[in-house]
Amino acid sequence: MLVLRVLRRTQWTPLRRNAVHLRGVVPRGLSPKQNLRASGLRFETTAPKTSAQASPNPPVSKFTFPEKLCIYHAGTGRVTFLACLKLSTLFIFVFFGFVVTPAYFDKEGLSPTVLRTTLSAIVPLLFVTYTTSPFVSFIHMRLPPFARHSEDMLRRFVRTLPPTTELDVTTMSFIAKPRVSRVRVADLYPARRRTGIVNLARDTAADNAARKWYMYRAVSDFNAQSNTVPRAPWVWDGIMDIIRKRQA
């Protein structure tokens, strides 16, 4: 029995060695494309993992605040309500102006009823446009790189705010489309117009002179009185203090 075990071990040992050597050898009967696939599979299994695969987490940003910081937000409810009000008033104008009034005019001619329906179309549109055009939805301020690192650096920047700092003021047109006006802080001054609706204003004579006759006039009056921005609301308060002190 001992002799038979020794013979079996001597027979299996060369077979195992040959199998180990054959693992790294590509069969001769394969085509060139199959040889490339086989070598590619061996490379994928033996290739080391890259640093991107080893660390799937993205790099952490070194800035605390974004480049365009939202310093004023009128509130989602107010913005949505005014947008719906503008669109509803526009639908009323189209209905009374192009459906009801022509029907009464064909039936009665120029009559008091035609005058009333015409006023029902024009008056709501003019009133809503006059009272809601200065409404400010958002205000964004571009920050320099050093002011984005921390809240302390941002406070220092606001305390020494340059007069040439630009603000992107977003209002709504009569069709509830956003309008962005780029305004410098030095151009804004406190005002009280339109029965107290407007609290900020600027001179737009130069901007309107440079525009074509068919283009919208520049927005000169702004209503920015209720700030609901959740992050750094003190930035807008600091800017308003600077505007009031400069005017005084």
Side-chain angles (χ1 to χ4, degrees):
M1 295 296 293
L2 183 60
V3 175
L4 291 175
R5 291 180 180 178
V6 172
L7 291 175
R8 289 177 181 175
R9 290 180 180 178
T10 54
Q11 289 176 357
W12 282 102
T13 302
L15 292 175
R16 292 177 180 175
R17 292 178 180 175
N18 293 334
V20 171
H21 289 293
L22 288 174
R23 289 179 183 176
V25 179
V26 179
R28 296 181 180 180
L30 298 178
S31 62
K33 292 183 179 181
Q34 293 175 344
N35 290 335
L36 291 175
R37 291 178 182 177
S39 60
L41 290 174
R42 289 201 308 272
F43 177 77
E44 289 179 359
T45 55
T46 57
K49 293 184 178 180
T50 60
S51 59
Q53 295 176 352
S55 58
N57 297 327
V60 181
S61 177
K62 62 179 181 180
F63 296 113
T64 306
F65 298 96
E67 183 179 0
K68 289 185 64 176
L69 178 64
C70 182
I71 61 175
Y72 179 88
H73 192 302
T76 305
R78 294 178 181 176
V79 174
T80 306
F81 173 76
L82 283 182
C84 295
L85 180 63
K86 286 176 176 286
L87 293 177
S88 301
T89 307
L90 188 62
F91 290 150
I92 291 174
F93 170 78
V94 172
F95 178 71
F96 278 93
F98 295 96
V99 177
V100 178
T101 301
Y104 277 105
F105 182 80
D106 294 339
K107 183 179 179 180
E108 302 178 3
L110 190 60
S111 63
T113 305
V114 175
L115 180 61
R116 286 194 294 269
T117 55
T118 303
L119 293 177
S120 299
I122 297 176
V123 172
L125 182 65
L126 294 178
F127 177 77
V128 172
T129 303
Y130 179 78
T131 55
T132 62
S133 58
F135 179 78
V136 177
S137 303
F138 312 99
I139 297 179
H140 292 82
M141 181 175 65
R142 295 183 179 272
L143 299 178
F146 76 91
R148 300 169 56 191
H149 285 285
S150 63
E151 183 176 345
D152 184 41
M153 298 299 294
L154 181 59
R155 289 183 181 274
R156 293 182 183 179
F157 173 71
V158 173
R159 283 197 297 266
T160 60
L161 190 69
T164 57
T165 303
E166 293 182 343
L167 305 176
D168 293 337
V169 184
T170 304
T171 56
M172 284 191 291
S173 64
F174 73 98
I175 59 173
K177 180 182 178 181
R179 292 187 62 186
V180 180
S181 303
R182 182 156 293 180
V183 184
R184 296 188 307 171
V185 176
D187 296 336
L188 295 174
Y189 59 88
R192 183 175 177 82
R193 301 174 183 173
R194 305 191 188 188
T195 65
I197 297 176
V198 176
N199 67 326
L200 289 175
R202 63 166 178 158
D203 187 9
T204 58
D207 292 342
N208 292 330
R211 300 190 179 195
K212 303 294 182 180
W213 62 269
Y214 55 85
M215 299 177 65
Y216 285 113
R217 301 295 91 185
V219 180
S220 59
D221 298 334
F222 301 103
N223 174 17
Q225 303 186 24
S226 57
N227 188 13
T228 63
V229 68
R231 188 178 187 184
W234 46 267
V235 176
W236 177 244
D237 297 336
I239 294 176
M240 286 297 298
D241 292 339
I242 292 174
I243 294 173
R244 294 190 188 99
K245 291 178 181 177
R246 187 177 64 248
Q247 186 66 19

